[in-house]
Amino acid sequence: MKKLTLLGDLTPAQFLRDYWHKKPLLIRQAIPNFNPLLSREDFFSLAANDEVESRLVTHFDRRWSLEHGPFSELPSLAKKNWTLLVQGVNLHVEAADKLMRQFSFIPEARLDDLMISYATDRGGVGPHFDSYDVFLLQAYGKRQWRIGAQQDLTLKDGMPLKILKHFTPEKEFVLEPGDMLYLPPQYAHDGIALGECMTYSVGFRAPSYQEIGEAFLQFMAESIELPGRYADPDLAYSTHPAEISKAMLDRVQKQLQKIAFTREDITIFLGEYLSEPKPNIFFDAPSPALSFSRFTIKAKKLGIALDAKTRMLHRGKRIFINGESFDVDRKDRQALVDLANDRQLFSKQIVTASQDVLEAFYEWYRAGWLAVSE
Ligand code: SIN
Ligand code: CO
């Protein structure tokens, strides 16, 4: 792939300081001479796969409609006003994963996926806003974007998709292949295909605090320990047998107040939560699998690489991978931290790895979470 100048003249630090979450940025030729990563036909076959999340949005006769894939059939290419969107293309197409990793100036824990949309002339998803930041890279053909910083984000009622009731665009651009538009969360936008076009969106993860709180309480439910059982040796006679007594309430309150959580609990929860693959993700285990000794010989010679579907994070001495986590010794930490950050390890980094680390790599290889490098 060509050297990327993704942010134009800006350094990642300047971009984060001046634009991230703040204002839109148009970067002409963010990737000069960009060539689409997959053909229209390959893209349509992805949308026909039932392990892939896809949507079809049509705007025929001025009526919006939304259908979920997989799609074995699509409207005619000659028909205007439809768009096909495929989520998580990075999980299935290696080049898309590589492209998304160019955005690693944003932490892995915030990166979501690379979505691709294909549209026939005039196709789009209508004026709307998203709850997360997005980089919109024009991959093929032209798309007109109209954008606005409006406060009124009221949506039209009774629509199958989010359409703004009052869209008041302030700026307008036509993006050509290689051009990229960054939009902060809640920024109103509408992209309309000018002829057949394809757009790649790099989207970010921004879970709601409610979602995080609910997931945390589920995590805590598995780790709390409250020994003992309710007992009331001092039970007093009451003329209201249906009433929950003050004594009972006091006792239960005293026990529940013992539930506490530490920063370490939050660390473990957050890492496991953020590294958990989405529910529709399945790993392909190697078949036949190499024996442990063959695997180690090959890995020491060729290196290893994480599968595109693997999410690996770290914090302090804790390593998180695909929803699981463990603490590591000082001596083993570096190899695992390097694997998480670089998503691959070279031969020389594996030659020095301990038996424990090699065993972990082998287990992950057997699960399809990593592979020996080609
Ligand atoms: C699209 O690619 O058609 C829609 C992307 C977006 O507006 O978020
Ligand atoms: Co959008």
Side-chain angles (χ1 to χ4, degrees):
M1 193 183 287
K2 312 231 164 24
K3 185 182 174 308
L4 299 180
T5 44
L6 274 183
L7 297 171
D9 298 334
L10 297 173
T11 63
Q14 286 168 330
F15 168 76
L16 294 176
R17 187 192 62 202
D18 299 338
Y19 296 92
W20 178 251
H21 266 36
K22 298 168 197 80
K23 58 184 182 192
L25 174 66
L26 171 66
I27 308 144
R28 293 284 179 200
Q29 292 303 290
I31 308 183
N33 311 314
F34 184 73
N35 279 318
L37 305 179
L38 68 171
S39 66
R40 181 177 70 192
E41 285 63 36
D42 288 346
F43 178 66
F44 289 173
S45 11
L46 264 186
N49 181 334
D50 59 9
E51 282 183 27
V52 179
E53 204 185 317
S54 56
R55 285 170 295 154
L56 175 69
V57 175
T58 59
H59 195 203
F60 301 149
D61 305 320
R62 309 186 64 174
R63 277 200 31 212
W64 290 106
S65 131
L66 166 72
E67 271 178 75
H68 292 274
F71 298 101
S72 50
E73 251 177 89
L74 291 166
S76 151
L77 295 180
K79 199 157 168 62
K80 294 182 180 205
N81 286 307
W82 64 269
T83 185
L84 174 68
L85 306 110
V86 174
Q87 223 58 62
V89 178
N90 54 295
L91 303 172
H92 307 279
V93 177
E94 207 184 312
D97 177 62
K98 283 221 169 73
L99 174 62
M100 192 183 79
R101 303 279 162 208
Q102 302 295 333
F103 290 80
S104 54
F105 54 88
I106 311 286
E108 169 90 7
R110 293 283 276 113
L111 262 182
D112 190 7
D113 72 340
L114 184 111
M115 178 187 85
I116 298 187
S117 70
Y118 164 87
T120 56
D121 189 32
R122 308 304 298 167
V125 298
H128 68 284
F129 66 91
D130 298 301
S131 312
Y132 43 79
D133 312 75
V134 65
F135 286 95
L136 298 151
L137 172 71
Q138 192 57 25
Y140 173 78
K142 293 182 191 180
R143 187 185 282 274
Q144 177 199 51
W145 286 101
R146 292 182 302 149
I147 65 171
Q150 64 192 66
Q151 297 295 308
D152 176 4
L153 296 177
T154 321
L155 298 174
K156 279 193 186 172
D157 289 330
M159 287 283 154
L161 56 161
K162 283 193 339 185
I163 304 278
L164 284 168
K165 204 167 187 171
H166 314 284
F167 179 47
T168 42
E170 294 155 351
K171 286 187 186 152
E172 187 180 312
F173 328 94
V174 173
L175 266 67
E176 303 209 8
D179 292 345
M180 188 166 77
L181 177 63
Y182 161 76
L183 294 177
Q186 262 83 43
Y187 213 91
H189 56 285
D190 187 19
I192 298 172
L194 303 178
E196 184 186 52
C197 90
M198 281 175 116
T199 305
Y200 296 1
S201 328
V202 175
F204 294 87
R205 258 187 114 170
S208 67
Y209 287 125
Q210 181 67 26
E211 217 176 292
I212 294 179
E214 288 175 15
F216 179 63
L217 289 183
Q218 266 179 23
F219 165 86
M220 285 302 293
E222 285 160 27
S223 57
I224 61 165
E225 267 184 67
L226 288 177
R229 179 181 291 277
Y230 186 81
D232 43 8
D234 53 356
L235 186 62
Y237 173 70
S238 161
T239 51
H240 303 107
E243 188 185 29
I244 294 173
S245 69
K246 179 180 174 298
M248 183 178 215
L249 202 54
D250 288 347
R251 265 203 182 100
V252 173
Q253 182 175 8
K254 194 169 159 208
Q255 291 298 319
L256 292 186
Q257 277 171 340
K258 290 182 188 164
I259 299 176
F261 49 86
T262 60
R263 191 162 164 93
E264 196 188 349
D265 291 321
I266 298 175
T267 307
I268 298 173
F269 155 72
L270 196 59
E272 292 186 357
Y273 172 77
L274 292 172
S275 67
E276 181 76 44
K278 289 186 187 162
N280 59 340
I281 296 301
F282 299 98
F283 289 90
D284 299 316
S287 161
L290 300 169
S291 65
F292 177 65
S293 62
R294 288 288 305 147
F295 168 79
T296 359
I297 292 168
K298 280 189 88 176
K300 284 182 178 174
K301 199 165 145 201
L302 302 167
I304 55 172
L306 291 181
D307 185 84
K309 294 171 186 157
T310 289
R311 288 178 176 267
M312 190 173 183
L313 303 168
H314 65 89
R315 168 85 215 166
K317 58 182 179 0
R318 195 118 190 140
I319 304 291
F320 309 92
I321 181 163
N322 294 334
E324 296 178 8
S325 78
F326 53 92
D327 280 338
V328 278
D329 291 351
R330 242 187 129 83
K331 67 170 182 10
D332 290 343
R333 185 176 173 276
Q334 198 57 48
L336 293 159
V337 164
D338 288 345
L339 179 62
N341 286 313
D342 304 335
R343 302 190 60 82
Q344 59 176 351
L345 287 181
F346 295 112
S347 152
K348 65 171 190 287
Q349 293 166 286
I350 300 177
V351 172
T352 52
S354 73
Q355 183 71 9
D356 282 353
V357 168
L358 290 174
E359 279 171 14
F361 290 166
Y362 184 62
E363 195 186 306
W364 299 342
Y365 157 76
R366 292 285 302 256
W369 293 3
L370 58 74
V372 174
S373 297
E374 301 282 299

